[in-house]
């Protein structure tokens, strides 16, 4: 008997609930494994033909955890009243009766045996929510990069603004409609310049007062930003009127984006961008610009990411770049 009471207090497995799950989950109604599993029975270790029922435990049941009732589970009555459940549930919530199972073994049913302990509805639902939240597919954040054409000036930087929309999922857990949602709590940025920073602030567009991330004054180069978001979970069983926390957190990694960083500096030139020169004669070739600082006629930020290092090395060496591949912007 001591073994059984320890099992009941621990709430082995799961249990169904009369008030919580409605007519088809009421006590003393025999269910098959699929039906019982829907109402929280611990059916994962059972066979497909097993029978399940919720039933109270009577004081007169002088059994060990291995005892089996071959014909039927005895009903409680004056001579053998129901025991007091060894669990304490929240106010206005009655403990759920244990599950019993009649296993189908070797072509025959072997009798009813205890399969779970008393358990509170709230505890059972929280366990199901935790499992659903842990496996919830969460769409990674999208974000805006300003300027948006793939380039930046080191001292002016780039502005990064993340979408703040919660992710939601509808589920039916133990017969109850539940809304689960993920809310972003922390944004961690890394870039290939070796910078990492975290913030609870998703950032804002420039027009809303956004503050840019600026770059060290180093030579022209390409850098890649990656965003990892941490999410907390909430759930509602009343259509979103009230929310409760789901246990644990989740993380997502968004699609990376590359930015070509320029570090322009002032210098004297003989010709303007239209080719008009101080000498009064037309200038030869392409003129140097912010986007084409080497004056080869190619806007450097349009070179594909996979080729940018080779391109910059070639221009540094004074070589002519003949590859026609360019990034598609916009």
């Amino acid at each position: 008997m001591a073994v059984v009471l320890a099992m009941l207090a621990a709430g082995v497995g799961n249990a169904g609930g009369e008030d919580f799950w409605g007519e088809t989950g009421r006590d003393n109604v025999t269910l098959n494994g699929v039906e019982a599993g829907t109402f929280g029975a611990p059916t994962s270790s059972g066979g497909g033909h097993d029978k399940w029922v919720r039933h109270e435990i009577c004081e007169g049941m002088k059994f060990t955890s291995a005892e089996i009732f071959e014909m039927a589970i005895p009903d409680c009555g004056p001579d053998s009243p129901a025991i007091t459940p060894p669990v304490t549930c929240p106010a206005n919530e009655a403990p759920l009766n244990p599950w019993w199972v009649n296993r189908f073994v070797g072509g025959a049913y072997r009798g009813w045996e205890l399969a779970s302990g008393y358990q509170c509805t709230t505890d059972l639902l929280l366990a199901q929510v935790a499992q659903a939240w842990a496996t919830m597919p969460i769409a990674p954040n999208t974000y805006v990069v300003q300027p948006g054409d793939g380039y930046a000036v080191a001292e002016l930087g780039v502005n990064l603004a993340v979408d703040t929309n919660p992710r939601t999922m509808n589920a039916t857990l133990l017969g109850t409609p539940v809304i689960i949602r993920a809310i972003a709590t922390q944004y961690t940025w890394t870039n290939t310049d070796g910078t990492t920073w975290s913030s609870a602030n998703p950032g804002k567009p420039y027009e809303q007062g956004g503050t840019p991330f600026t770059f060290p004054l180093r030579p022209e180069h390409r850098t890649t930003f990656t965003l990892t978001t941490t999410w907390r979970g909430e759930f509602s069983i009343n259509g979103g009127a009230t929310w409760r926390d789901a246990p644990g957190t989740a993380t997502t990694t968004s699609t990376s984006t590359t930015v070509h960083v320029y570090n322009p500096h002032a210098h004297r030139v003989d010709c303007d961008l239209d080719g008009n020169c101080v000498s009064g004669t037309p200038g030869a070739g392409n003129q140097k610009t912010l986007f084409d600082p080497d004056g080869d006629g190619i806007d450097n930020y349009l070179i594909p990411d996979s080729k940018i290092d080779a391109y910059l090395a070639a221009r540094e060496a004074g070589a002519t770049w003949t590859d026609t591949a360019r990034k598609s912007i916009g």
Side-chain angles (χ1 to χ4, degrees):
M1 187 63 171
V3 173
V4 174
L5 289 178
M7 183 171 111
L8 300 179
V12 178
N14 294 325
E18 176 178 341
D19 295 333
F20 190 63
W21 291 299
E23 186 68 30
T24 56
R26 290 186 180 278
D27 291 354
N28 304 319
V29 175
T30 301
L31 305 176
N32 61 38
V34 174
E35 294 168 335
T38 300
F39 295 113
T43 59
S44 59
S45 62
H49 297 288
D50 293 349
K51 297 178 181 180
W52 295 81
V53 68
R54 282 193 300 105
H55 194 287
E56 57 195 352
I57 297 175
C58 313
E59 290 183 358
M61 295 178 178
K62 303 297 185 182
F63 53 81
T64 68
S65 59
E67 183 170 358
I68 293 176
F69 296 101
E70 294 184 2
M71 301 302 297
I73 306 168
D75 291 329
C76 302
D79 295 333
S80 180
I83 68 169
T84 299
V87 295
T88 301
C89 297
N92 302 319
E93 181 183 321
L96 308 174
N97 282 335
W99 281 103
W100 298 70
V101 62
N102 192 345
R103 300 194 183 280
F104 190 75
V105 179
Y109 288 99
R110 70 181 190 184
W112 293 97
E113 59 185 300
L114 189 66
S116 82
Y118 287 93
Q119 193 169 24
C120 301
T121 298
T122 303
D123 295 338
L124 180 56
L125 182 60
L126 283 174
Q128 296 295 315
V129 167
Q131 182 178 0
W133 161 239
T135 58
M136 175 180 172
I138 302 174
N141 286 108
T142 59
Y143 53 90
V144 173
V145 182
Q146 297 172 308
D149 287 333
Y151 64 84
V153 175
E155 290 183 285
L156 300 180
V158 293
N159 188 46
L160 304 165
V162 185
D163 84 85
T164 58
N165 297 319
R167 277 44 173 167
T168 61
M169 178 180 73
N170 294 317
T172 299
L173 304 177
L174 304 175
T176 298
V178 179
I179 304 172
I180 301 175
R181 70 180 180 186
I183 298 176
T185 59
Q186 182 170 274
Y187 310 91
T188 299
W189 291 95
T190 61
N191 69 19
T192 49
D193 285 353
T195 302
T196 299
W197 72 100
S198 296
S199 176
N201 185 351
K204 297 182 289 187
Y206 274 131
E207 58 271 20
Q208 297 177 15
T211 302
F213 169 83
T214 57
F215 299 89
L217 297 180
R218 51 167 289 193
E220 175 188 355
H221 65 286
R222 187 76 49 86
T223 189
T224 299
F225 285 95
T226 301
L227 170 65
T228 299
T229 305
T230 302
W231 308 78
R232 66 178 178 85
E234 294 182 336
F235 72 98
S236 175
I237 59 174
N238 55 12
T242 57
W243 294 89
R244 295 182 59 185
D245 292 336
T249 60
T251 59
T252 59
T253 300
S254 302
T255 301
S256 298
T257 189
T258 59
V259 176
H260 193 90
V261 183
Y262 294 95
N263 183 15
H265 56 278
H267 61 279
R268 297 177 64 85
V269 295
D270 294 327
C271 306
D272 63 22
L273 296 180
D274 296 323
N276 302 311
C277 301
V278 174
S279 64
T281 60
N286 299 296
Q287 305 305 311
K288 294 180 179 180
T289 68
L290 169 63
F291 296 143
D292 181 16
D294 40 33
D296 66 348
I298 300 173
D299 287 341
N300 294 3
Y301 76 95
L302 294 178
I303 298 296
D305 293 341
S306 61
K307 300 182 179 182
I308 186 61
D309 290 338
Y311 168 79
L312 293 175
R315 297 309 300 149
E316 182 70 20
T320 299
W321 184 260
T322 59
D323 194 315
T324 59
R326 301 289 185 271
K327 292 176 70 175
S328 177
I329 301 298

